[in-house]
Amino acid sequence: MLRSKLNIANRLSLIGIVADLPKRSKSPNGIEHCRFYLEHRSEQIEVGLKRQAWCKMPIQISGAQLIQLTQSITVGSQLLVVGFLSTHKQANGLNQLVLHAEQIEFID
C-alpha cells in the first residue's frame, strides 16, 4: 500500500497551450532534454464562486522516447502533460517549480 501512495504523492496533470518555442539541449552524460512553457487558463469553482485560474508552467521533457514526440510541438499546440514537480534553481539564484513530463498528449 505504501508503494501506491508514493506513485501519487507527486503527480500533476495540466492542459494548456505551448507559449514559446521548445528549447533543446543535451546533458554531459548524453541525455536529451526539451523545455518550453505551457500556459493554462480555466474557470474553477472555489467556495461556491467562479474564479479565473491561470498559470505559465515550465515543462521539462527528458529522454529519447519523449524527445521524439516533441518534434511536433509548436507554439500554440494544445497539450495534456502529466508528470511530477521538482524545483530548479535558475541562473539568478531563484527557485522555480518545473513540471517534468512523463506523458504528453496532443489535444485537437
Side-chain angles (χ1 to χ4, degrees), residues 26-61:
K26 192 177 272 195
S27 68
N29 59 357
I31 297 173
E32 294 182 64
H33 301 284
C34 179
R35 187 170 176 155
F36 59 89
Y37 282 86
L38 192 68
E39 188 171 342
H40 168 87
R41 293 181 186 273
S42 64
E43 188 174 90
Q44 304 294 318
I45 303 295
E46 184 176 35
V47 200
L49 301 171
K50 290 181 183 179
R51 176 187 179 135
Q52 296 299 313
W54 176 82
C55 69
K56 192 171 182 180
M57 175 69 68
I59 308 296
Q60 174 82 34
I61 302 168

Side-chain angles (χ1 to χ4, degrees), residues 28 50 62 86 90 96:
K50 290 181 183 179
S62 300
S86 186
Q90 297 177 300
Q96 180 178 42

